[in-house]
Amino acid sequence: MDPYAPTAQDRFSFGLWTVGNPGRDPFGEPVRAVVSPERIVQKLSECGASGVNLHDDDLVPYGSSAKTRDTIVASFKAALEDHGMVVPMATTNLFSHPVFKDGAFTSNDPRVRAFALGKTMRAIDLGVELGAKIYVFWGGREGSEADACRDPRTAIARMREALDYLCEYVRDQKYALRFALEAKPNEPRGDIYMPTTGHMLHFISTLAHSEMVGVNPEVAHETMSGLSMAHAVAQAMEAGKLFHIDLNAQRIGRYDQDFRFGSEDLRQAFLVVRLLEGTAGGEAYTGPLHFDSHAYRTEDDEGVWDFARGSMRTYKILHERARAFDSDPRVLALIAERRDARLEALSSNYTRAKSEALKVESIDVGAVAKAGLGYERLDQLMVEHMLGVH
Ligand code: GLT
Ligand code: MN
Ligand code: MN
């Protein structure tokens, strides 16, 4: 049996917009035909994924009548059932329609803000009907180019007002739904408000129902800013706020590439998997593993499913590599925590007496400063484990 073949236990998911991406870019027309949601469900299940995520408009084209909506939803539900697939996450398209050209929840126009709230509540109803437990907010248009158009503080306050409103909506409906906020620094706007996962984490702490709201970090979005995805994920996990994750690949300083997971910066991919799986000992992430990425524009339909299989396969290989790395005695010796019970006691749980003792404590900083840490050896071991040498 192929040890890297994905199963339902792996909790892998793809968005309808990811494997369904027809390869349109700002300079060129689509290169692939539109794939029906039902076929996506079938193909994803054949590839070994267990979840499929969607925006409202991915499934029910914008402007459909209530009757059309119900027909589409019934057919999609039947496909989910036929193939044993679930919808772990849903979200709202608040970026394609021209009405959102200057934002949705942060727009200066109350009509736009009201429309965005109404569209989101209808999309939440749809997501819950399909079984979603996580609801993502990616504020792609919540930003500016002509920054004098609004006080950025007003934008943040409006975002808070919208999320507080929507948390109340979910509570009022008694939905078992949690929100996950996804940051991105720029594109499609010149600047997007709250551009990193760290910004989002603070913002969440200001919400009325912050316990319902976490983050959805995306590899590409943290990397666009030149930041460490592993550190963003770690901070979210440490705060108990990693509700969802968007796995893909990206090179620093480029447009949002949304490449196949692991196709760029394997080191970060390895470190992220190591964190998520807790192979180094920390608590593991147990939520959905979503690939928010798409096949290269060079690919035909077959290439799309190669892309999907490759994403999951790379994740599983990295998981296996992370396990090997974290059980290598040489690695364990190099990262073993140095203990000093007396100094640790003096440095934690402040008391006046401890502070006075610590101020005059003599530590041989010369010796500490001189000693090498062996990180060259550690990093080389990591590279060799990643390359499958050990
Ligand atoms: C869009 C974006 C993604 C978001 C999706 C959710 S849509 O494709 O590029 O990063 O996660 O709205
Ligand atoms: Mn994303
Ligand atoms: Mn992206």
Side-chain angles (χ1 to χ4, degrees), residues 286-321:
T286 55
L289 294 164
H290 175 230
F291 297 102
D292 185 11
S293 42
H294 44 78
Y296 301 135
R297 197 163 176 271
T298 50
E299 300 312 289
D300 60 7
D301 182 68
E302 201 182 320
V304 168
W305 309 111
D306 290 337
F307 145 86
R309 279 189 293 267
S311 306
M312 297 184 279
R313 193 173 171 78
T314 299
Y315 187 98
K316 294 200 73 159
I317 295 171
L318 288 173
H319 182 189
E320 190 254 342
R321 295 287 79 217

Side-chain angles (χ1 to χ4, degrees), residues 64-246:
S64 299
S65 69
K67 197 165 153 260
T68 309
R69 174 212 188 266
D70 292 348
T71 312
I72 292 173
V73 171
S75 161
F76 186 65
K77 275 183 171 169
L80 291 171
E81 191 142 325
D82 286 351
H83 300 284
M85 296 277 286
V86 295
V87 174
M89 173 271 260
T91 182
T92 331
N93 185 325
L94 295 175
F95 43 89
S96 292
H97 195 290
V99 75
F100 300 127
K101 62 192 172 196
D102 191 29
F105 300 137
T106 62
S107 165
N108 288 345
D109 189 329
R111 294 169 301 177
V112 176
R113 300 201 298 273
F115 177 64
L117 277 180
K119 189 174 196 292
T120 302
M121 289 187 287
R122 290 189 298 276
I124 286 177
D125 295 343
L126 172 67
V128 169
E129 183 179 347
L130 294 169
K133 299 281 181 289
I134 305 283
Y135 202 84
V136 162
F137 288 83
W138 172 64
R141 297 280 175 198
E142 313 288 11
S144 66
E145 293 82 28
D147 210 47
C149 71
R150 73 180 75 78
D151 186 327
R153 290 170 295 190
T154 304
I156 292 167
R158 285 181 186 152
M159 192 69 98
R160 179 180 302 113
E161 193 172 41
L163 282 162
D164 283 346
Y165 189 103
L166 293 166
C167 282
E168 290 300 351
Y169 176 71
V170 166
R171 288 164 55 84
D172 189 27
Q173 298 294 321
K174 310 234 175 334
Y175 289 157
L177 194 67
R178 298 193 301 168
F179 292 171
L181 310 187
E182 176 176 346
K184 186 175 181 181
N186 57 272
E187 194 196 298
R189 299 307 300 269
D191 284 285
I192 299 177
Y193 301 119
M194 298 185 282
T196 70
T197 295
H199 289 78
M200 288 299 185
L201 284 170
H202 170 263
F203 171 70
I204 290 168
S205 73
T206 72
L207 297 175
H209 286 287
S210 59
E211 75 287 352
M212 287 173 61
V213 188
V215 290
N216 178 38
E218 173 171 316
V219 176
H221 299 176
E222 300 299 316
T223 309
M224 283 170 76
S225 314
L227 300 176
S228 161
M229 174 65 172
H231 289 190
V233 168
Q235 188 168 4
M237 290 177 88
E238 207 269 339
K241 288 296 184 191
L242 188 68
F243 286 8
H244 198 263
I245 190 161
D246 277 359

Side-chain angles (χ1 to χ4, degrees), residues 10-72:
D10 294 317
R11 316 182 313 277
F12 290 137
S13 59
F14 290 81
L16 285 181
W17 71 93
T18 66
V19 282
N21 183 298
R24 180 188 292 109
D25 73 15
F27 305 95
E29 298 304 324
V31 294
R32 294 183 286 267
V34 173
V35 192
S36 75
E38 289 78 7
R39 178 150 193 279
I40 289 178
V41 168
Q42 179 204 331
K43 291 297 291 180
L44 282 178
S45 84
E46 283 169 19
C47 290
S50 57
V52 59
N53 303 320
L54 48 96
H55 297 87
D56 47 356
D57 303 345
D58 299 342
L59 182 65
V60 183
Y62 178 75
S64 299
S65 69
K67 197 165 153 260
T68 309
R69 174 212 188 266
D70 292 348
T71 312
I72 292 173

